[in-house]
Amino acid sequence: MALTMKDVDRFEAARPRLQAIGYRMLGSASEAEDVVQETFLRWQASDVERIEVPEAWLTKVLTRLCLNQLTSARARRETYVGQWLPEPLLDGDPMLGPADTVEQRESLSYAVLTLLERLSPNERAVYVLREAFGYAHREIAELLDLTEAASQQIFHRAKKHVAEGTARTEIDAAAARRVVEEFLAAAASGRTEPLVRLLTADAIAVGDGGGKVPARTRALEGAVAVATFMRGLFKPGKAKRALVGGSAEIHAANVNGAPAVVAVVDDRVVGVMALEIGADGIVAFRSQGNPDKLDRATRQWAATEHGEPLLHIF
């Protein structure tokens, strides 16, 4: 049956929420857009007049598509070159969705999205729907064809896994900015000691190049090893300029609701480094350099205001 304008408008009203669920479920903005479009096609092919609660119907279809995508993604990521990290979103991107509560902000953080990769598809779905969007377990059970008790058990298990892997420290925007500025000053100093003082003893650094740009295939661990790597990363060189296509402007920004460093060359985002900050210092650096995962960040960067760069490197 052909959709009426009212039917189309109803779907468009639900689109932002569907995109935000899809992004948190998949860790990929492009894949989230694809599953939302497929949801629309199924909405278009359905007998809309017989659907009693359209929002619930759309959410169930989208969630099912995401579960299928996650199952196939696991197989694809087994052959992924190097470390896999989510697609970063700059603050202000509507796909980030709700961020009013601590739980919502945590669920979209780069650290948690990375941890969600370790969960089973069902665990990820239950965690996202409950923690980020406040669905009752009764509703989640209906969406995923589970019992309410099973939904509760899955959620507690998923939340425990996430809690074990994050620093769980919130800092205000001004403090986050100071940490980024201190890090950049230390990284540009050419010395390891100032960097070590900013890191926790068990700090890690992970990079995703996707086989498109150089990146370590294993995470670096320990303050000295990470500091040494960062000192070299920010050291100018002709090879680095050639790799990114010129001298890079380094900005402090917020990515997925947390402090980050963004490298820009000729208005093109060429790298995003998300910082995870704990009570004792910087816990982790997660760097996205795969150009396939930076297109949306580049578009968002061009559409928003940003201050002067803190550094020019390479």
Side-chain angles (χ1 to χ4, degrees):
M1 297 178 64
L3 293 180
T4 65
M5 283 305 300
K6 181 181 179 180
D7 298 331
V8 174
D9 289 344
R10 178 168 284 177
F11 181 87
E12 290 304 320
R15 183 185 289 274
R17 180 176 57 85
L18 297 175
Q19 287 185 329
I21 293 173
Y23 173 69
R24 281 173 166 86
M25 286 275 287
L26 302 172
S28 167
S30 58
E31 290 181 8
E33 289 176 335
D34 289 343
V35 293
V36 170
Q37 182 59 26
E38 179 60 29
T39 301
F40 175 75
L41 294 176
R42 297 193 182 196
W43 172 252
Q44 189 177 43
S46 67
D47 186 351
V48 173
E49 292 183 359
R50 297 176 64 87
I51 297 175
E52 295 182 6
V53 186
E55 289 73 16
W57 187 93
L58 291 169
T59 303
K60 183 166 188 173
V61 170
L62 177 96
T63 303
R64 287 291 178 184
L65 290 170
C66 287
L67 289 173
N68 292 339
Q69 187 80 354
L70 284 170
T71 301
S72 62
R74 287 197 161 197
R76 294 198 308 274
R77 285 168 195 169
E78 287 179 0
T79 59
Y80 191 82
V81 179
Q83 301 281 331
W84 187 96
L85 290 174
E87 184 176 347
L89 298 184
L90 300 177
D91 270 16
D93 192 313
M95 193 172 282
L96 288 170
D100 299 321
T101 67
V102 172
E103 291 78 13
Q104 288 173 338
R105 289 190 293 274
E106 185 178 71
S107 72
L108 64 83
S109 74
Y110 214 58
V112 168
L113 286 177
T114 303
L115 284 169
L116 292 184
E117 287 296 304
R118 304 177 186 177
L119 304 183
S120 70
N122 264 3
E123 287 174 335
R124 186 162 185 163
V126 171
Y127 180 87
V128 167
L129 292 170
R130 177 65 179 164
E131 195 80 342
F133 295 91
Y135 281 84
H137 284 293
R138 174 183 54 79
E139 297 172 301
I140 296 172
E142 293 174 357
L143 290 172
L144 300 180
D145 295 331
L146 302 169
T147 65
E148 189 171 345
S151 176
Q152 292 171 337
Q153 291 172 354
I154 290 170
F155 175 70
H156 289 309
R157 187 166 63 242
K159 192 167 184 177
K160 181 181 178 182
H161 288 324
V162 172
E164 289 172 349
T166 56
R168 304 178 69 83
T169 299
E170 278 212 315
I171 60 174
D172 61 42
R177 171 84 180 198
R178 286 195 297 273
V179 171
V180 173
E181 290 175 350
E182 289 175 4
F183 162 68
L184 288 175
S189 72
R191 296 185 296 123
T192 303
E193 293 79 8
L195 280 166
V196 171
R197 288 196 292 270
L198 294 175
L199 311 181
T200 61
D202 57 353
I204 65 168
V206 184
D208 179 349
K212 307 292 180 69
V213 298
R216 293 182 60 88
T217 57
R218 298 173 66 90
L220 276 168
E221 300 181 6
V224 174
V226 172
T228 302
F229 173 76
M230 291 297 169
R231 183 193 64 193
L233 181 66
F234 283 84
K235 185 178 181 180
K238 291 182 180 179
K240 294 174 184 175
R241 286 195 296 273
L243 178 66
V244 300
S247 178
E249 296 180 344
I250 305 300
H251 293 261
N254 281 335
V255 169
N256 290 71
V261 173
V262 177
V264 181
V265 175
D266 296 331
D267 294 324
R268 176 172 52 90
V269 175
V270 297
V272 171
M273 180 185 291
L275 278 63
E276 183 181 356
I277 301 173
D280 300 321
I282 302 173
V283 175
F285 300 90
R286 295 179 177 87
S287 303
Q288 185 55 261
N290 184 345
D292 295 342
K293 298 182 183 181
L294 295 173
D295 283 345
R296 188 179 180 95
T298 293
R299 294 196 300 272
Q300 187 72 9
W301 186 263
T304 56
E305 291 293 328
H306 38 79
E308 291 298 312
L310 297 178
L311 281 179
H312 286 83
I313 63 170
F314 303 163

